[in-house]
């Protein structure tokens, strides 16, 4: 469970270790006069994703044969020194197909923070076919992610041990071990990535996006942000309101919350999704629910499984065992999408019989681990960006005081999310702010899409984003659905509303509801 922001489950891919060098063939040269807005991008056919981006094969051509193209954009390492050292920002695009006049580039961020846009966008290419008629589809690895100066904290073997730890400690000895592992992870980030850590804030990524807009030749930015990408979009609108064109924010992060409030909201959100999963299982009249006789029985049996795994893990993916932490993580992963409810049911059946393989596969997907045992830099980037953004630093005593509130919010996920608040303890870089500033007076209309069943970015965040953007900017669209995100999740109402806005500039009435 990425803390405290969610990553859209459908965007998770097989992953592997960080490559120190950029993949050949995706380059570009910065102008010698230091004006990065004048740089020319050398677009070429994309290679296979680097291991830090998740590995795997080069992106397949789009259905009509169009090729994905990759390039590298130079950006300042430190935006306070715009003519100083530079870093490479990895980009990917599919050019507009027509018919219809090209509007410009539509830039995507799929969340995390820490998700690679270069490896994720091709997996959604067919879903965005209508949008590609009038836009170049563009995404990128934000700074600190993948091939964009990716943060590296620990080796694959160290990460295996890190994710096998007890992240829900019950006594002082377990607490001390958890704190030791967290401190070791954070020290590894400083040892291996000290140069980039102070420069991975969301404000830095937003400035990269405005440079991207100019390098791509667009007078306005057109943007589609999902999950953490909604926060990035809101911060961009705050910094550059005059450059906002058509922007969609889907699966919306509440920009007013502290990390504690966000984690508590996620506890409630995942508990709601679990309640909905359990009720759906027992309400299917065609087949008997194989994991419980009632919704409460389903949840009681899951709670009993997790309690048992705390002291007696079961075989997972050899040689690793399915621990209480891994099982909790895997269950949470499955709640990101209704399409994963059936694998979750099968995984629970297996686990009750002493086989933890399916739940461990789900947990590995959440953590960015591929089948060959290699990790992307998803977790490293997630922690680095969150800790660079968030000023708050919590300690053990504070978490202990808050545990009853978290457990009341979610008997299943409360402890996990409460203890995750310690991820930035001992972080080597100070956090930027109490919470993101997304106020954007003067911005064009921004379409904000909330899903009532969203576990990772609870529905209330959509209205909070609309209010924070300011009067006359945010327009709320609600979907009464399940899973993380709304567009492309099966609602013709949502898809047609978003398409009409992006393709034709048709702004729906604020408060429109899609059932």
């Amino acid at each position: 469970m990425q803390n405290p922001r969610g990553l859209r489950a459908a965007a998770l891919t097989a992953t592997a270790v960080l490559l120190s060098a950029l993949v050949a063939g995706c380059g570009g040269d910065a102008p010698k006069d230091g004006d990065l807005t004048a740089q020319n991008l050398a677009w070429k056919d994309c290679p296979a994703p680097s291991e830090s981006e998740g590995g795997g094969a080069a992106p397949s051509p789009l259905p009509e044969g169009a090729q994905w193209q990759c390039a590298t954009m130079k950006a300042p390492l430190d935006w306070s020194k715009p003519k100083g050292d530079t870093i490479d920002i990895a980009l990917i695009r599919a050019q507009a197909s027509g018919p219809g006049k090209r509007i410009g580039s539509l830039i995507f961020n799929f969340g995390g923070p820490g998700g690679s846009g270069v490896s994720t966008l091709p997996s959604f290419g067919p879903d965005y076919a209508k949008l590609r008629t009038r836009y170049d589809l563009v995404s990128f690895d934000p700074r600190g992610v993948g091939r964009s100066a990716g943060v590296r904290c620990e080796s694959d073997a160290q990460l295996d041990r890190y994710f096998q730890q007890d992240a829900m400690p019950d006594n002082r000895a377990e607490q001390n071990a958890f704190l030791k592992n967290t401190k070791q992870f954070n020290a590894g980030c400083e040892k291996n990535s000290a140069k980039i850590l102070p420069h991975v804030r969301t404000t830095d990524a937003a400035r990269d996006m405005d440079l991207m807009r100019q390098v791509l030749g667009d007078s306005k930015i057109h943007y589609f942000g999902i999950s953490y990408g909604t926060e990035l979009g809101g911060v961009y609108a705050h910094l550059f309101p005059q450059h906002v064109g058509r922007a969609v924010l889907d699966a919306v992060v509440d920009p007013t919350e502290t990390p504690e409030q966000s984690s508590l909201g996620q506890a409630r959100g995942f508990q709601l999704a679990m309640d909905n999963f359990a009720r759906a299982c027992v309400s299917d009249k065609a087949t008997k629910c194989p994991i419980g006789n009632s919704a409460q029985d389903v949840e009681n049996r899951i709670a009993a499984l997790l309690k048992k795994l705390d002291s007696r893990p079961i075989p997972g993916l050899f040689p690793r065992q399915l621990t209480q932490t891994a099982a909790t993580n895997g269950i949470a992963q499955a709640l990101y999408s209704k399409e994963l409810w059936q694998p979750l049911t099968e995984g629970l059946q297996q686990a009750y019989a002493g086989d933890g393989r399916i739940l461990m596969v789900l947990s590995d997907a959440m953590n960015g681990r591929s089948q060959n045992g290699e990790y992307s830099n998803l977790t490293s980037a997630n922690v680095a960006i969150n800790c660079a953004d968030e000023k708050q630093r919590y300690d053990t005593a504070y978490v202990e005081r808050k545990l009853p509130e978290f457990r009341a919010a979610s008997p299943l996920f409360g402890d996990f999310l409460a203890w995750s608040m310690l991820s930035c303890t001992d972080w080597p870089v100070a956090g930027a702010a109490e919470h993101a500033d997304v106020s954007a007076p003067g911005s064009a209309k921004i379409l904000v899409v909330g899903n009532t069943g969203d576990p990772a970015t609870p529905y209330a965040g959509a209205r909070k984003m609309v209010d924070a953007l300011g009067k006359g900017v945010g327009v709320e669209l609600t979907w009464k659905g399940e899973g993380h995100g709304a567009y492309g999740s099966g609602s013709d109402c949502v898809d047609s509303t978003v398409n009409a806005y992006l393709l034709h500039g048709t702004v729906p009435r604020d408060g429109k509801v899609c059932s």
Side-chain angles (χ1 to χ4, degrees), residues 5 254-259 261-263 265 392 434-436 464:
R5 311 293 185 233
D254 183 341
T256 70
E257 289 184 328
T258 65
Q261 291 167 335
S262 177
S263 292
Q392 297 84 350
E434 297 287 337
H435 56 77
K464 292 290 187 67

Side-chain angles (χ1 to χ4, degrees), residues 29-36 38-39:
D29 296 318
K32 290 184 172 58
D33 63 4
D35 180 8
L36 295 178
Q39 64 186 292

Side-chain angles (χ1 to χ4, degrees), residues 170-331:
D170 302 309
N171 54 51
R172 193 62 62 191
E174 290 180 355
Q175 288 177 16
N176 289 339
F178 179 69
L179 288 171
K180 180 180 177 181
N181 290 333
T182 301
K183 188 172 184 177
Q184 177 180 302
F185 179 90
N186 293 353
C189 300
E190 183 176 23
K191 177 182 178 181
N192 296 315
S193 302
K195 186 175 181 180
I196 190 66
L197 292 185
H199 307 295
V200 295
R201 295 187 172 101
T202 298
T203 50
D204 296 315
R207 295 184 188 282
D208 292 340
M209 288 207 314
D210 199 58
L211 176 61
M212 197 181 307
R213 172 190 65 79
Q214 296 171 78
V215 172
L216 292 170
D218 293 330
S219 60
K220 300 282 186 180
I221 198 167
H222 306 294
Y223 179 75
F224 202 132
I226 300 161
S227 195
Y228 161 79
T230 66
E231 181 175 317
L232 176 57
V235 168
Y236 179 91
H238 170 69
L239 294 175
F240 306 103
Q242 72 278 17
H243 293 154
V244 175
R246 299 173 189 174
V248 174
L249 309 181
D250 184 9
V252 186
V253 170
D254 183 341
T256 70
E257 289 184 328
T258 65
E260 176 192 341
Q261 291 167 335
S262 177
S263 292
L264 188 60
Q266 279 199 330
R268 297 188 183 102
F270 278 101
Q271 188 61 48
L272 173 63
M274 172 54 68
D275 295 343
N276 292 341
F277 161 75
R279 281 195 294 266
C281 186
V282 299
S283 65
D284 187 348
K285 304 302 181 183
T287 57
K288 177 178 171 59
C289 178
I291 54 171
N293 298 318
S294 66
Q296 190 60 56
D297 185 42
V298 170
E299 296 193 33
N300 288 345
R301 293 189 67 189
I302 293 172
L305 171 69
L306 296 176
K307 184 177 181 180
K308 178 181 178 181
L309 291 174
D310 188 26
S311 57
R312 287 182 287 170
I314 61 176
L317 295 173
F318 184 81
R320 295 174 300 144
Q321 293 184 309
L322 182 74
T323 62
Q324 179 192 41
T325 299
T328 303
N329 206 43
I331 292 167

Side-chain angles (χ1 to χ4, degrees), residues 438-446 463-475 510:
V438 300
S439 59
S443 170
K445 299 284 188 183
I446 296 175
R463 175 45 59 180
K464 292 290 187 67
M465 176 66 80
V466 168
D467 292 342
L469 287 168
K471 187 176 181 180
V473 178
V475 177
D510 185 27

